[in-house]
Amino acid sequence: MRAKLPTPANLTQRVRDLMRQHRADLRTRTYGNADLNPPAGPYEVIPVTANDGAHLRVHAYGPAEGDVIVLVHGWTCCLEYWNPQINAFAGEYRVIAYDVRGHGESEAGTAKLTTDQLADDLSDVLAATLKPGQRAVLVGHSLGGMTIQAWAGRYPEQVRQRTLAVLMTNTASGNLIAETTVVPLFNRGPLRLPFFVGLLGLSAPILFPPVNPVKWIFRRQIMSLDSVGDIADFGQDIVRSCPARVRGRFGTLLSYLDVGRGAANLTVPTTILAGSADDMTPLVHSERIVEMLTEAGSLDAYRVLPTGHLGNVEAYREFNAELARVAKSAFGIPAKVVGA
C-alpha cells in the first residue's frame, strides 16, 4: 500500500510551523552572559486586545505591587529584546514588556498599520497594566520611542495621567531615509539617498542568514564593530526572530514616518539616549527631539553612548544605570540594579 503523499496545503502549514518554532527558539536562546538570558523568575501574562481585535502578548515581571516600568521595543524586535533590562529591574519593579503587533507572538490585526494605531496599542497596554491612578516610567527603543511620541501626540491628556517619566533611546521623529547613514556614502555629505532607494531597502523582506559576512555587515551597519560575542549574537538573534514580511511591512511605515512634534507633549521628565555609531538613527534625530523637549521644559538629560542602533543591548550596563537614575527620581526610592 502506497503511503499517502502530503498535500501542498499540509506542506505549507508544516513549513510555517517549523519557521514559527525556529523564531521562538531564537527569542528564547541562552548565552554565556546570563544578563541576556530569558528571566528565570515567574511572570504574569496580561490579556490585551487592541481596538481591531488583535491579541497582544504582554508580560509582567517582578512584584505585583511594585512601581511600574513599561518597555516598548523597536522594529523587528520582540519583548525578549529587553532581557538585559528585565533581568536587572524585575527584582525591584514591576516590569511590563509587550510585543508590538505583528512581532513576537502578537497578532498583526486587521487595522491599517499607522503610528496612530501603534499609539492606540500602547494606550490599551497602559490601560490593562496600570491600576487606577498609577503612573509608570515609559521606555522606548527606536520604533518604541516613535510609538511613545505618537502616543503623546494622540493622547496628550494621558501623559501626566499615566506617566512619571520617559526614557527614549536610538529613536527619531521622522526623516529616516533623508538622514540615515546606513547606506555607505549617502547622507554623509552632498550625496543624498534617493527616497525610492531607501523605501525599497526598508520595505524589502530582508533575511539575515547566520553566516559570517552577514554577521559582520549587521555589526557594522546596525550595531557597532565593538559589539562582539554574546552581545552581537543576541542582537542578531532577536532581529532574525522577526518574520521577513513583518520587517518589510513595518519598514514601509518607517519610510513615511512622521510623528511631528509629539515629543513636545511629553510634559514629564524625559531622557534621550543616542548612539555615537548609530547609522539607523544618527545623532541629528536625537538632537531634534532634545530641542523639542527643551522648548517644552521637560528635558531631563541627554547622553550619547558609544554604541550603534541597539544601545540598550550594546551598552546595557550604562543604559541600566541611566534607567535606574530615571526610576529612582520618578518613584523616589532607591533602585536595586543587578550587574550595574
Side-chain angles (χ1 to χ4, degrees), residues 3 14 34 40 61 73 75 146 172 207 210 220 232 253 263 287 293 301 324:
R14 176 61 175 160
Y61 305 84
H73 71 73
W75 180 41
M146 300 164 197
L207 299 173
R220 172 60 184 83
L253 171 71
E287 291 165 356
L293 293 170

Side-chain angles (χ1 to χ4, degrees), residues 1 8 11 54 65 74 77 109 115 121 130 136 144 159 190 265 281 283 304 306 332:
M1 186 181 224
L11 285 173
E65 300 304 316
C77 293
T115 52
D121 292 348
L130 297 181
V159 173
N265 287 340
T281 51
L283 295 181
V304 179

Side-chain angles (χ1 to χ4, degrees), residues 103-183:
H103 294 69
E105 295 180 21
S106 285
E107 296 176 350
T110 58
K112 182 179 179 181
L113 182 58
T114 64
T115 52
D116 281 348
Q117 183 59 57
L118 298 182
D120 290 346
D121 292 348
L122 174 55
S123 180
D124 289 337
V125 169
L126 294 176
T129 56
L130 297 181
K131 299 172 183 177
Q134 190 174 37
R135 299 164 70 191
V137 169
L138 289 190
V139 184
H141 166 257
S142 189
L143 177 63
M146 300 164 197
T147 297
I148 291 172
Q149 293 173 72
W151 167 78
R154 188 165 173 81
Y155 297 104
E157 74 285 355
Q158 292 186 16
V159 173
R160 286 193 174 274
Q161 291 173 0
R162 292 181 169 173
T163 64
L164 287 167
V166 172
L167 189 160
M168 298 188 292
T169 186
N170 305 98
T171 194
S173 60
N175 295 324
L176 290 179
I177 291 176
E179 293 170 334
T180 181
T181 52
V182 164
V183 182

